Amino acid sequence: MLTEQQIHDALSQLKLSQLNTDLISANALKKTDIDGDKVTLTIKLGFPMGNYQQELEREVTEYLKAQFPEIKPQVKVSWRVEAHAHPAKVQAMPDIKNIIAVASGKGGVGKSTTSVNLALALSHLGANVGILDADIYGPSIPIMLGLQGKHPESTDKKTILPVENHGLQSMSIGYLVKPEQAMVWRGPMASGALQQLINDTQWRDLDYLIIDLPPGTGDIQLTMAQKIPVTAAVVVTTPQDIALADARKAVTMFNKVSVPVLGVVENMAMHTCSNCGHQEHIFGAGGGDKLAQEIGVELLGSLPLALTIREQADSGKPTVVADPSTAESHLYLDIAQRIAAKLSLQEKEFRADFPTITIDNN
């Protein structure tokens, strides 16, 4: 008769691409019921799954049938995003489970476009997502979300409500100042403004808050890493040597403040000519993979240099919402799911649920 241990041993050999590990190592198999030839598995993962939920159910079912032809497996897959531990010795934010910083080190690598599309991809997969535009000097999120000219509201004159579009909660200094106004602030003032933006916004039950960092490794980046409960970081680069050099500096900064880097996203990796279909690596080839290997993290994915990505972001309807069926959208969705899956394997944050005490005098 088939045993639970045999099921576990078999599943320990089934490696999942999103997790880069197996269900047993990921502690995702929650229950195994064996009743004669009927085997029911309950699997729970810690990241938004979208269509992958049904795909995984089919994959595990077919795998078990191949391993044990005599059984009739039934696989039930669900997911729930948990809060994960953060290295900063600051209080966790009760309405935000995980904060992911997106950095580049160098400007002009498409980091903001990538941040917005990754946030939208996580939302498309089923998560509750917000995005914070941390570029005090050059905010771009309002334009990319089609919210230019919008202003946040306040219900208590002390805090502000996030501005919403495309299913995302967002906040940016761009909502609070005129488009032509220059923020002529020294580093400490900009850092203080960033803390106010995140702490004084009434974020609502976020699974993930994506922070789109400005380029560099200065005051704003250090403030974010040391005074905000950042869970993890993602580094965006192009294959160009200059961009890779600055990306290494961003990774070094996160290492110094003990913020885990989930991986590298290579942007503008390849251009396909719209007339003839010829593909060309304009900024070089293989740079993102080389960087990932050097710093010991995963290359989460490579994105093309495509005119449509730029046009869609400028129009206020980024690629993932403009047309989720395109190849570019699928790349963003895959990278977002890999980010969330890797984060799900990190140490969880303990948040005690204290009992409610009532006194009955009767």
Side-chain angles (χ1 to χ4, degrees):
M1 181 178 175
L2 187 67
T3 65
E4 185 174 333
Q5 187 59 51
Q6 287 176 295
I7 296 289
H8 285 208
D9 291 343
L11 289 178
S12 67
Q13 303 302 312
L14 179 60
K15 190 174 182 179
L16 306 181
S17 58
Q18 281 84 350
L19 287 170
N20 202 28
T21 187
D22 60 271
L23 291 170
I24 305 302
S25 299
N27 194 30
L29 181 60
K30 302 303 181 184
K31 190 177 181 182
T32 304
D33 290 323
I34 301 175
D35 183 9
D37 62 351
K38 296 180 181 179
V39 177
T40 303
L41 301 184
T42 302
I43 296 170
K44 188 173 183 179
L45 292 165
F47 59 93
M49 302 192 69
N51 293 333
Y52 181 57
Q53 185 169 340
Q54 289 74 35
E55 293 176 18
L56 182 60
E57 288 176 350
R58 288 193 296 269
E59 181 181 358
V60 176
T61 299
E62 294 303 317
Y63 176 77
L64 289 175
K65 284 181 178 179
Q67 296 295 314
F68 310 103
E70 71 277 12
I71 69 171
K72 298 176 182 177
Q74 182 179 12
V75 180
K76 302 175 182 177
V77 176
S78 62
W79 62 270
R80 174 182 168 83
V81 177
E82 303 287 352
H84 291 81
H86 55 84
K89 295 180 180 179
V90 293
Q91 186 176 358
M93 303 186 70
D95 294 318
I96 304 175
K97 291 181 181 177
N98 301 288
I99 298 178
I100 301 175
V102 180
S104 64
K106 183 182 184 303
V109 299
K111 172 187 51 57
S112 293
T113 302
T114 302
S115 297
V116 168
N117 275 295
L118 291 179
L120 289 167
L122 287 169
S123 177
H124 184 83
L125 291 167
N128 198 15
V129 186
I131 186 166
L132 174 70
D133 188 350
D135 194 344
I136 302 299
Y137 301 110
S140 55
I141 298 300
I143 295 175
M144 292 185 181
L145 289 180
L147 293 169
Q148 192 171 18
K150 299 292 184 180
H151 302 286
E153 298 179 356
S154 176
T155 56
D156 58 7
K157 306 298 183 182
K158 297 178 181 179
T159 59
I160 52 179
L161 299 174
V163 185
E164 297 188 48
N165 199 16
H166 305 314
L168 284 187
Q169 300 176 39
S170 68
M171 185 48 60
S172 169
I173 194 72
Y175 297 138
L176 304 172
V177 299
K178 296 179 180 178
E180 67 276 9
Q181 183 176 344
M183 308 306 295
V184 189
W185 289 351
R186 295 188 182 274
M189 291 179 66
S191 298
L194 172 61
Q195 290 182 74
Q196 275 194 287
L197 282 179
I198 188 170
N199 291 320
D200 293 348
T201 299
Q202 292 184 34
W203 305 104
R204 295 187 302 279
D205 301 320
L206 295 182
D207 292 315
Y208 306 99
L209 175 66
I210 304 298
I211 298 185
D212 177 32
L213 285 176
T217 54
D219 286 339
I220 290 179
Q221 290 80 359
L222 288 174
T223 295
M224 180 278 308
Q226 294 176 330
K227 296 185 178 181
I228 294 172
V230 176
T231 315
V234 172
V235 175
V236 179
T237 185
T238 63
Q240 189 178 11
D241 288 343
I242 295 175
L244 293 169
D246 287 338
R248 290 187 187 93
K249 295 176 184 177
V251 173
T252 300
M253 178 197 71
F254 286 123
N255 289 338
K256 286 185 177 180
V257 293
S258 301
V259 173
V261 177
L262 296 174
V264 172
V265 176
E266 185 182 50
N267 200 23
M268 308 181 194
M270 179 177 62
H271 176 257
T272 301
C273 178
S274 58
N275 290 323
C276 66
H278 173 69
Q279 294 185 337
E280 187 173 8
H281 297 274
I282 295 176
F283 294 108
D289 188 43
K290 181 181 177 182
L291 174 64
Q293 291 183 31
E294 283 181 8
I295 62 179
V297 299
E298 181 182 348
L299 177 63
L300 296 164
S302 296
L303 297 161
L305 176 62
L307 177 63
T308 53
I309 293 178
R310 193 274 301 167
E311 290 177 334
Q312 289 160 345
D314 285 350
S315 71
K317 290 189 69 175
T319 302
V320 172
V321 293
D323 189 351
S325 65
T326 63
E328 291 82 6
S329 290
H330 282 294
L331 287 172
Y332 283 119
L333 288 164
D334 182 65
I335 293 170
Q337 194 162 67
R338 288 178 182 275
I339 289 170
K342 287 183 69 67
L343 180 58
S344 73
L345 298 177
Q346 289 187 187
E347 180 183 356
K348 292 180 175 57
E349 179 183 68
F350 176 72
R351 294 190 178 188
D353 293 323
F354 294 100
T356 300
I357 299 175
T358 59
I359 300 175
D360 188 349
N361 294 323
N362 294 331

